[in-house]
Amino acid sequence: MLKKLLPATLLTLTTATALTLGAIPAAQASPASPAASAPASVPDSRVSTAFTLPGGKVYPEGIATDPRDRTVYVGSYADGTVYRARPGARTAEVFLPAGTDGRHTANGLRVDARGRLWVTDSTSGVAVYDTASGRRLAHFEVAGAGALFVNDLTITPDGTAYLTDSVRAVIYRVTPAQLAAGSGPLLPAYDLKGRLTPSPAGSLTLNGIVSDPAGRYLLAVDMTAGDLHRIDLRTGAMSRVALRGGDLVHADGLDLAADGTLRVAHNATNTLTRWHVSPDGTRARLTRTITDPALQIPTTLSHTPGRTLVVRSQFDKGGPMGEGTPTTFTIAAVRGL
């Protein structure tokens, strides 16, 4: 797959994938990690396996749960396969085969209120699929040349999608009208480059993104600096969320519940954190930390009442984070988060 990409895209996938991932040297991981800022957590039986993913080189990255029937979708960073696990299934099935519609990766996944599955391809943009038939309904590609890394996305109550670019440090937007048109350029709605904490050259910045249930604001994480940024959707104002009790270094996937609970997967440190976000989204307080090697480099997570599912990427076992041989690829179920 990599050999077929243009040089600029290949550069993105070899430097940017140094962690969906966080281009922070390993020596910095421990002192900057959330676990260092909060009481240490002890690994226990709270991490179990929800279901397995078929294939020896899956390297999953994104996950989404259909709110209508709790069907779970998981995307492969390695080849763009999208898997589907129906409720009660112990093994997922292939829903969209590798390379469908020219897709190279499957990073951010979301199922919107109308049951459409959104899938980002870090090398190009985003596609939207009908979950009943698997038919592609729409696709949008980043305009312009140069390195890019379309990473994660969120969908607001009015049906607008917002997507992060970890290399360009921008947030793209797809409106319902654009979705109805079926295709078009993926254009920036918000540019955060001048607002981010300076990071080493080649670092990835914006990664996970969520919107509050009322559609008032977005929260997007800078995984290298450990900051959380707030974008007011009414005024366009951008600010940094005041974090208390820890930081968001290595933060990858985010999940924001209606009660203001923010759940975060920190990939390189095998850590999950839970935060309480203030009603206006300007402050967040760390309330729980789980660090466990059984998480196997968690990239994203999906929370529904009574259940938190976490992607075990194993990126450090022959994937973009290191050499080695992976074990069976699985999705974890985590209690207590």
Side-chain angles (χ1 to χ4, degrees), residues 69 95 133 155 163 215 225 240-241 256 281 310:
D69 62 7
F95 175 60
S133 66
I155 302 170
L163 308 92
R240 195 169 298 167
V241 176
L256 181 62
V310 180

Side-chain angles (χ1 to χ4, degrees), residues 177-249:
Q178 291 170 316
L179 179 60
S183 65
L186 197 55
L187 300 173
Y190 303 101
D191 189 335
L192 281 78
K193 286 192 292 292
R195 297 178 174 273
L196 301 182
T197 300
S199 298
S203 299
L204 296 190
T205 54
L206 300 181
N207 195 331
I209 185 170
V210 290
S211 52
D212 88 298
R216 297 168 299 163
Y217 59 82
L218 306 173
L219 298 176
V221 68
D222 177 349
M223 68 181 308
T224 296
D227 297 328
L228 188 63
H229 294 268
R230 181 188 187 277
I231 299 92
D232 190 299
L233 291 175
R234 183 179 63 84
T235 66
M238 293 178 274
S239 58
R240 195 169 298 167
V241 176
L243 302 178
R244 192 175 77 182
D247 58 44
L248 293 173
V249 171

